[in-house]
Amino acid sequence: MTVLPLDPKDGGGRFPGIDVQGQSPHWDRVTQGVVLARLGRPTDLRFFTVAEEAAARALFDQLLDQRQEPRVPVVNMVDTRLAEDQTDGWHYDDMEPDPAAWRSTLAELDAEARERHERAFAELSWEKQALLLTDIQAAEMWRGRQTSRVWSLWTRYACTAFYSHPLAWDEIGFAGPAYPRGYKNLGLNAREPFEVADARPAQDPAAHTAKSQTGRQR
Amino acid sequence: MASVKDRNASAWLLPPVPGTNRAMRTDMAQFRDEEEVDIAIVGCGAGGSTLLQRLARAGWKAVALDAGPFWDPERDWVSDEAGSHHLYWTEPRIISGDDPVPLGSNNSGRGVGGSMVHYAGYTPRFHPSDFHTYSADGVGADWPLEYGDLKSYYEDIEGELPVAGEHWPWGDPHSYPHSPHPVSGNGELFLRGALASGITAKVGPVAISNGRFGNRPHCIYRGFCLQGCKVNAKASPLITHIPDALHHGAEVRADSMVTRIEIDDKTGKATGVHYIRHGRARFQRARIVAVAGYSIETPRLLLNSACKRFPEGLCNDFDQVGRYLMVQGAPQTAGRFESEVRMWKAPPPEVSSEDFYETDPSKPYKRGFSIQTVSPLPITWAEHVAAQGHWGGKLREYMTDYVHWACLGALCEFLPQAENRVTLASEKDRNSMPVAHFHYSQCDNDRQLMQAAQGAMEKILHGAGAEEVITIRRFAHLVGGARMAADEQHGVVDADCRSFAVPNLYITDGSVLPTQGSANPALTIMAVAARAADRLIAGGASKPT
Ligand SMILES: Cc1cc2nc3c(=O)[nH]c(=O)nc-3n(C[C@H](O)[C@H](O)[C@H](O)COP(=O)(O)OP(=O)(O)OC[C@H]3O[C@@H](n4cnc5c(N)ncnc54)[C@H](O)[C@@H]3O)c2cc1C
Ligand code: SF4
């Protein structure tokens, strides 16, 4: 069975034996079609240029910590959305509509990498890429734009793709579609026969952070 | 009161299994464009569908046009988050201001049923105090009607959806037609935390039938309410009002984007609507026009219907159209528990508290907030985590901890402000119609409410035993933009939803709300539309031919 590589210290392997795909016979046919399509051959790229593809791949690998195969094909999934203009429609008055914003922010990412290291973003080492992103995230403004808006564009598309994938659901203990079967066992620590208990419930990622954190939707 | 079935037989017209009554759609009335119908309604959501059903029952020749599809839940909806993108209004829109409000998935709907297709399903009433916040507290606005004017409509709609919940102690205390649903881990923790911190919390009120209701099946607690209920357990006009409307001779014309309302320059009256269907420009003649396109699209359509008589936009002589658009502050706070919560199981709407709804004289701010369970699915939860600044390995690690988190959401009564408004941008959509530009900034009272609501949610979660809490600040529920008022200098429509400027033009959606309380708006939108329908039928407007 395929499992996304994730170090146990980062939460890998908390739901041993979980198999969302194995539950697909219990889903309705339309949902099967939509979800199982994500497991097939990734679509060919249509939207990103070659240079954009390189930058986007490296960016998504960083944002989602995908360091090796098998990966969720985030770049292909985002490319499809942008090629089909499957955006949320809205855009900030000081940003372009999403497809254009993707092109320009990826170009800026490469420009930033070249100014600092004389290479495109994708050509930098993992550490240098991570540092560069850390700097971008920390700044209020980045290359003439409000950083939070750029960051939100990147992470929204990245997370929507990654966490729509059954392999990512296996990783987080989410059992996936639930129609027509539904759930019978509600309540604390109650599980359906097909749900798997967290093997390491004490692994609390928030344990060593501030007790209260706040962010905002962008 | 007549039984629900006698007033609205929608639930009995559905097939006894999940799905749609196809014959009703194929046999539906089809009015010709040239035929002057009694009413053309723009938008088939909460407000539009309620009006349609009422008028069809009264024998009116009524057609409702909707820009989106006539959904077939079995075919069109999935039990999947990313696969539900097509439920939202994703045509271009521009946002700006100090606190721009993201739209799309969170603040819009399209297609027959409107935003209620993917709303959570909370259906609280407004409190009596909501209707005169200006006189009482010097903030917001007074409605040209009082709670008592809506009370019987609230009761009617609660019966038709139907609503399930415990006896409701807040506002005007009342009971619900269906008993409360069992709660999941998330609701359990809310109840426990509220008890520990001296806050009252109750199960409900949710528009999900609990028990037999016509041919509507029971909820299966699968938690995908925001993706459209394939089961037909959660109420939306698609199943609660459209079937009865069709049965009484109404037409629902889907895939029809209305671009302009036509005004006769001589009489100053509306003569019908221009719309685009299947690529062709068409014009439906109508004796009365009602607009119910949601708080962004309604003002946009009025502004785009400028003509000789109304050079600044239809009904906009006093620069009121598009203004006083409101959004509720909707911070969500999650808490971490050693137990497994699995908050995504069961409908996200479960438990609420209205303890903080009213103005508290001991606080520096006016008005208040409510607190409810919300139960984000993985993608929405990732957004919550990413909003804390986490990415890469930390984001993945947080996400593997998903089963341990419970999440509450608050609805803060942000105040209506003239500068928070929709205007037309120079950018055009694919129908060559200028897109809406929505400008939004909070005021000081708003920010204080947001802070107080976060504090209350943290207290409840800690009371339930959470160690860490994380909050995302966000918005929900647009209303206003063409508000009702006592006169045309302060609003666009009167208490009966009739526009001041055009005697045969009505607005019957959330746009007419002058204030929003901290209640989710759909029930009130339906009640206001049902009341407007009654007035129309009683002859407030000239009688149908
Ligand atoms: C994620 C989410 C959760 C929510 N949860 C809740 C909740 O729990 N409880 C609650 O009370 N409310 C909730 N709401 C809000 C609620 O759904 C809306 O407030 C309500 O449906 C608005 O009613 P309306 O009649 O104003 O517009 P809608 O119901 O949105 O209907 C407008 C309709 O008009 C159509 N339309 C627009 N423009 C045109 C045009 N030019 N031509 C033709 N058709 C047009 C649209 O396609 C749409 O179908 C939620 C909303 C969202 C997005
Ligand atoms: S939880 Fe119940 S109401 Fe919500 S979508 Fe599922 S069946 Fe429908």
Side-chain angles (χ1 to χ4, degrees):
Chain A
M1 213 183 83
T2 313
V3 177
L4 292 175
L6 184 68
D7 198 307
K9 80 168 176 21
D10 291 332
R14 288 178 76 164
F15 302 94
I18 187 175
D19 178 15
V20 173
Q21 293 169 50
Q23 296 299 317
S24 64
H26 299 283
W27 310 340
D28 67 278
R29 284 213 250 168
V30 185
T31 302
Q32 282 171 350
V34 166
V35 174
L36 297 181
R38 295 176 194 143
L39 299 167
R41 209 186 81 80
T43 47
D44 293 329
L45 298 193
R46 286 172 286 165
F47 178 82
F48 290 129
T49 63
V50 173
E52 287 162 359
E53 175 191 347
R57 269 186 205 283
L59 175 65
F60 288 136
D61 281 351
Q62 283 285 342
L63 292 178
L64 296 160
D65 197 33
Q66 294 207 93
R67 294 168 190 248
Q68 65 194 76
E69 293 297 327
R71 283 182 175 84
V72 171
V74 174
V75 74
N76 308 67
M77 295 162 89
V78 171
D79 182 274
T80 301
R81 273 189 75 180
L82 295 172
E84 293 172 1
D85 206 10
Q86 261 202 52
T87 69
D88 271 358
W90 59 272
H91 67 89
Y92 292 101
D93 65 340
D94 62 358
M95 294 266 287
E96 313 93 314
D98 289 3
W102 267 104
R103 289 203 197 286
S104 56
T105 57
L106 289 174
E108 297 286 3
L109 185 59
D110 270 342
E112 178 91 30
R114 285 209 174 82
E115 279 168 31
R116 290 198 195 190
H117 306 290
E118 291 166 356
R119 288 150 189 255
F121 183 71
E123 306 303 332
L124 305 183
S125 67
W126 181 270
E127 287 70 28
K128 285 205 167 107
Q129 288 175 350
L131 265 176
L132 198 151
L133 290 177
T134 307
D135 287 351
I136 292 176
Q137 193 197 19
E140 180 91 4
M141 297 291 291
W142 178 62
R143 303 183 80 85
R145 297 167 202 266
Q146 295 194 37
T147 310
S148 58
R149 296 184 179 176
V150 177
W151 196 260
S152 137
L153 178 81
W154 291 349
T155 53
R156 253 187 298 130
Y157 277 79
C159 289
T160 301
F162 189 80
Y163 288 105
S164 72
H165 201 280
L167 290 178
W169 298 340
D170 283 342
E171 183 174 294
I172 65 175
F174 174 70
Y179 177 77
R181 172 171 54 188
Y183 296 120
K184 298 199 170 58
N185 302 316
L186 305 180
L188 293 176
N189 293 320
R191 278 179 296 274
E192 316 296 318
F194 52 89
E195 290 181 308
V196 173
D198 178 8
R200 303 196 302 275
Q203 186 170 355
D204 174 2
H208 305 293
T209 59
K211 291 294 170 210
S212 165
Q213 300 174 41
T214 310
R216 66 172 287 181
Q217 187 193 32
R218 304 277 178 182
Chain B
M1 201 202 301
S3 79
V4 174
K5 188 178 174 185
D6 293 336
R7 289 187 284 118
N8 178 349
S10 291
W12 289 264
L13 293 164
L14 292 166
V17 290
T20 329
N21 186 335
R22 275 167 222 285
M24 281 193 73
R25 295 191 187 179
T26 38
D27 299 346
M28 153 176 94
Q30 289 186 19
F31 300 106
R32 287 173 301 113
D33 281 331
E34 309 75 49
E35 185 176 353
E36 188 185 68
V37 293
D38 289 324
I39 191 162
I41 301 170
V42 183
C44 222
S49 305
T50 306
L51 183 70
L52 181 74
Q53 184 262 342
R54 297 304 203 251
L55 296 181
R57 273 221 163 219
W60 288 40
K61 274 192 267 176
V63 55
L65 300 98
D66 200 286
F70 205 153
W71 300 114
D72 175 348
E74 279 287 280
R75 186 197 65 184
D76 300 344
W77 301 347
V78 289
S79 201
D80 178 67
E81 225 181 343
S84 300
H85 191 258
H86 56 300
L87 297 184
Y88 315 129
W89 188 279
T90 53
E91 295 288 316
R93 285 168 170 171
I94 299 171
I95 61 171
S96 69
D98 295 343
D99 307 281
V101 177
L103 299 168
S105 63
N106 198 42
N107 282 304
S108 68
R110 71 188 261 273
V112 179
S115 305
M116 284 178 76
V117 161
H118 60 88
Y119 81 147
Y122 277 115
T123 43
R125 296 182 191 181
F126 279 22
H127 288 196
S129 65
D130 282 316
F131 298 82
H132 44 254
T133 61
Y134 188 73
S135 324
D137 285 321
V139 295
D142 290 352
W143 293 45
L145 45 75
E146 286 292 340
Y147 174 82
D149 296 312
L150 282 187
K151 179 168 174 157
S152 66
Y153 297 99
Y154 275 138
E155 289 165 351
D156 283 353
I157 302 281
E158 282 165 359
E160 290 164 59
L161 293 177
V163 182
E166 289 187 79
H167 176 78
W168 217 244
W170 296 283
D172 174 28
H174 56 276
S175 303
Y176 288 109
H178 281 203
S179 54
H181 286 272
V183 299
S184 72
N186 205 22
E188 205 176 314
L189 288 169
F190 185 179
L191 291 169
R192 185 196 292 176
L195 192 67
S197 34
I199 293 167
T200 306
K202 295 281 172 189
V203 181
V206 296
I208 301 172
S209 50
N210 188 3
R212 235 184 121 83
F213 187 70
N215 290 328
R216 300 245 308 268
H218 201 285
C219 170
I220 59 170
Y221 305 106
R222 66 185 190 120
F224 283 87
C225 304
L226 274 72
Q227 285 64 39
C229 180
K230 273 179 96 89
V231 178
N232 282 347
K234 185 193 77 173
S236 90
L238 183 71
I239 57 171
T240 61
H241 288 78
I242 296 302
D244 193 65
L246 298 188
H247 188 67
H248 286 88
E251 178 188 351
V252 168
R253 207 171 295 163
D255 308 309
S256 301
M257 174 73 184
V258 176
T259 53
R260 210 154 57 78
I261 298 161
E262 182 70 25
I263 298 292
D264 182 330
D265 278 329
K266 285 199 273 307
T267 61
K269 289 172 84 171
T271 56
V273 294
H274 294 275
Y275 66 102
I276 297 180
R277 182 159 210 252
H278 300 162
R280 291 173 54 213
R282 293 168 55 169
F283 179 71
Q284 174 68 54
R285 294 181 59 215
R287 194 170 57 77
I288 296 177
V289 172
V291 187
Y294 196 64
S295 281
I296 303 253
E297 294 306 313
T298 289
R300 176 185 179 212
L301 179 60
L302 294 175
L303 293 172
N304 197 51
S305 300
C307 58
K308 218 150 103 208
R309 161 68 187 83
F310 296 101
E312 302 302 321
L314 197 50
C315 305
N316 201 23
D317 290 346
F318 296 91
D319 194 16
Q320 292 289 312
V321 172
R323 291 193 184 272
Y324 302 102
L325 196 63
M326 288 164 275
V327 64
Q328 283 170 330
Q332 297 188 346
T333 302
R336 206 269 176 188
F337 296 84
E338 179 106 9
S339 302
E340 289 188 8
V341 184
R342 296 183 181 261
M343 60 178 162
W344 63 86
K345 291 169 71 172
E350 292 195 298
V351 177
S352 7
S353 173
E354 294 175 10
D355 263 8
F356 306 95
Y357 197 108
E358 303 285 340
T359 297
D360 176 348
S362 72
K363 295 285 193 299
Y365 50 81
K366 306 286 186 199
R367 304 301 297 162
F369 53 89
S370 62
I371 299 176
Q372 304 171 330
T373 44
V374 291
S375 310
L377 287 167
I379 292 170
T380 323
W381 178 240
E383 191 182 351
H384 192 131
V385 172
Q388 316 303 318
H390 301 310
W391 56 281
K394 199 73 198 167
L395 172 73
R396 292 271 291 276
E397 188 194 357
Y398 258 94
M399 290 301 293
T400 65
D401 205 41
Y402 184 33
V403 300
H404 294 284
W405 292 77
C407 194
L408 303 179
L411 296 176
C412 306
E413 178 174 351
F414 282 7
L415 297 171
Q417 300 179 71
E419 295 314 312
N420 289 338
R421 67 182 306 194
V422 163
T423 51
L424 296 182
S426 50
E427 189 178 324
K428 303 249 169 71
D429 70 5
R430 66 187 285 268
N431 297 315
S432 309
M433 186 174 167
V435 313
H437 183 137
F438 175 27
H439 179 93
Y440 191 85
S441 304
Q442 292 170 25
C443 65
D444 222 36
N445 203 74
D446 299 345
R447 280 184 275 271
Q448 292 183 52
L449 280 178
M450 196 91 138
Q451 201 57 45
Q454 180 174 340
M457 291 190 287
E458 290 182 348
K459 189 168 149 190
I460 293 170
L461 289 164
H462 287 314
E467 287 279 321
E468 300 89 9
V469 290
I470 60 175
T471 297
I472 176 171
R473 296 206 170 135
R474 49 188 290 290
F475 308 101
H477 306 150
L478 300 180
V479 293
R483 67 177 182 176
M484 62 166 66
D487 61 58
E488 59 191 359
Q489 297 179 27
H490 296 94
V492 180
V493 299
D494 66 15
D496 297 345
C497 297
R498 189 214 287 247
S499 76
F500 290 114
V502 180
N504 65 339
L505 178 68
Y506 286 73
I507 299 173
T508 59
D509 63 0
S511 317
V512 303
L513 270 50
T515 63
Q516 58 180 347
S518 25
N520 322 58
L523 181 81
T524 299
I525 294 170
M526 294 180 116
V528 167
R531 182 176 179 278
D534 258 9
R535 312 295 280 200
L536 270 166
I537 294 163
S542 43
K543 278 237 155 47
T545 40

